[in-house]
Amino acid sequence: MSTQTQSTNSEPSALVRLRDLWNAYLPYWFMTPMVLVMLLITVFPGIYDLYLSLVKYKLTDPTAIGQFNGLENFQTAFTSGGAVNSFTITILFVVGALAFETGLGFLLAALVTGVKSDRMKTFYRIAFILPMAVAPVSLATISRIMLNSEVGVIPYMITQYTPFVAPNFLSDLPLLTVILVDTWNWTPFMFIIFYAGMSSVPDTLLEAARVDGAPLWRRYVHVIIPYMKPVLFVAILIRLIDLFRTFGLVFSLTSGGPGTETELVSINIFQTGFTFVDLGAASAIAVVYLIGIVALCNILIIKIGFEGVWE
């Protein structure tokens, strides 16, 4: 009887301790699977990429694969691989596309916010979101047809309805063309975020500005944009990172050409690794590119900050 009583008393206490332990670290139990997945899909590939950048991994020389190569892959990539040129083109592409998408997205959000009819607001929201649903490869195929100098509708309309001669977009203006196509595809993303931000501006602030006699542009400069600063920063930061990752649309549209005029870093990495089968040099470019993007994003976060983002 005495043994049974001790066993009965100890069993609930163990369960209680286990329950207390579970409750005490409950957030960590739920976070653990996601943390493990993130480590698996980010840290491991990053470490393996760093390893490849430091060894010989050229498939045309299989006997040397895996031999420590020091920083020679970096030297090869940035002296003879066209990596420097691709970095310049990528910066022009990112700055141009981000400026167009931010400006147009903000303008569309301002116009739709000013619409009085709820039905028309719904119509505009749906219409503006549609381009974002088009897959990059499909968009590239459609764009190649529409911009074709012989059968494309855009050169035809320019020639017929304007005094200008339609250029051959993909050979005369390749970088501007891919920037505009990307702008058409991703301006809706900026529009959605900016529209949500404008809709959250309290009417009392706008009404107070009106009572003080502030014209429309002053209300935007001194009330709406400062109130939307966290929204603007998050949208621009997300789009900035995504633009640096652009590959499918530009590769499907121009394959980096003509020549290397639209060869983004992502395309240069692909061609170095899979066309010239030098995975060591391709990994070296990828490492430098990753460090540059992370550094730029951290500088922006430090300078501008997430103040108000989490509120």
Side-chain angles (χ1 to χ4, degrees):
M1 287 293 292
S2 173
T3 305
Q4 290 179 352
T5 303
Q6 291 176 357
S7 174
T8 305
N9 291 336
S10 63
E11 189 172 344
S13 63
L15 289 174
V16 169
R17 285 200 299 272
L18 182 61
R19 185 184 63 189
D20 292 341
L21 183 64
W22 171 264
N23 290 332
Y25 295 97
L26 187 61
Y28 298 99
W29 303 134
F30 284 113
M31 288 171 56
T32 299
M34 182 56 68
V35 171
L36 291 176
V37 171
M38 291 298 293
L39 290 175
L40 186 65
I41 64 176
T42 58
V43 175
F44 173 71
I47 293 174
Y48 190 65
D49 186 44
L50 182 62
Y51 161 74
L52 288 179
S53 69
L54 298 174
V55 300
K56 292 183 179 179
Y57 212 109
K58 198 166 186 177
L59 299 184
T60 54
D61 187 13
T63 57
I65 288 178
Q67 293 179 3
F68 182 69
N69 204 24
L71 299 178
E72 192 171 327
N73 287 329
F74 294 87
Q75 183 180 1
T76 302
F78 286 92
T79 55
S80 60
V84 175
N85 180 60
S86 68
F87 271 76
T88 304
I89 292 171
T90 300
I91 291 171
L92 293 174
F93 170 77
V94 170
V95 171
L98 190 63
F100 278 125
E101 292 167 15
T102 302
L104 288 174
F106 191 88
L107 178 63
L108 291 175
L111 291 175
V112 174
T113 302
V115 173
K116 301 299 182 185
S117 169
D118 291 338
R119 287 187 177 181
M120 291 307 296
K121 279 187 177 181
T122 303
F123 169 78
Y124 287 131
R125 286 198 296 265
I126 295 173
F128 291 149
I129 289 172
L130 282 178
M132 202 168 58
V134 181
V137 176
S138 302
L139 176 60
T141 304
I142 295 169
S143 299
R144 288 180 71 89
I145 297 171
M146 293 180 68
L147 296 172
N148 188 285
S149 57
E150 296 181 357
V151 298
V153 62
I154 294 177
Y156 172 79
M157 292 181 69
I158 292 175
T159 304
Q160 290 294 320
Y161 301 109
T162 71
F164 306 106
V165 177
N168 190 331
F169 286 95
L170 294 178
S171 60
D172 297 337
L173 304 167
L175 186 57
L176 179 61
T177 301
V178 295
I179 288 173
L180 293 178
V181 173
D182 190 87
T183 299
W184 185 85
N185 194 199
W186 284 105
T187 295
F189 173 80
M190 305 298 268
F191 160 73
I192 292 171
I193 297 180
F194 292 160
Y195 178 75
M198 285 186 190
S199 300
S200 68
V201 178
D203 291 336
T204 52
L205 291 179
L206 297 174
E207 190 59 32
R210 288 193 194 96
V211 171
D212 289 341
L216 182 62
W217 69 271
R218 278 190 179 275
R219 293 202 291 271
Y220 271 97
V221 172
H222 296 294
V223 178
I224 297 176
I225 292 178
Y227 192 88
M228 288 179 60
K229 177 189 168 186
V231 176
L232 291 168
F233 177 65
V234 170
I236 291 173
L237 185 65
I238 293 174
R239 194 66 201 115
L240 177 73
I241 296 171
D242 203 38
L243 279 166
F244 277 117
R245 299 188 308 115
T246 301
F247 175 79
L249 174 63
V250 179
F251 189 77
S252 303
L253 196 58
T254 65
S255 300
T260 58
E261 290 191 38
T262 58
E263 188 180 81
L264 305 179
V265 175
S266 55
I267 296 176
N268 183 255
I269 292 172
F270 175 82
Q271 292 179 338
T272 303
F274 298 101
T275 303
F276 304 112
V277 291
D278 190 350
L279 295 180
S283 300
I285 301 170
V287 168
V288 174
Y289 195 45
L290 176 64
I291 292 173
I293 295 173
V294 172
L296 176 62
C297 293
N298 277 282
I299 290 171
L300 290 175
I301 291 171
I302 292 171
K303 292 294 183 183
I304 300 175
F306 276 109
E307 184 182 357
V309 173
W310 312 119
E311 296 175 359

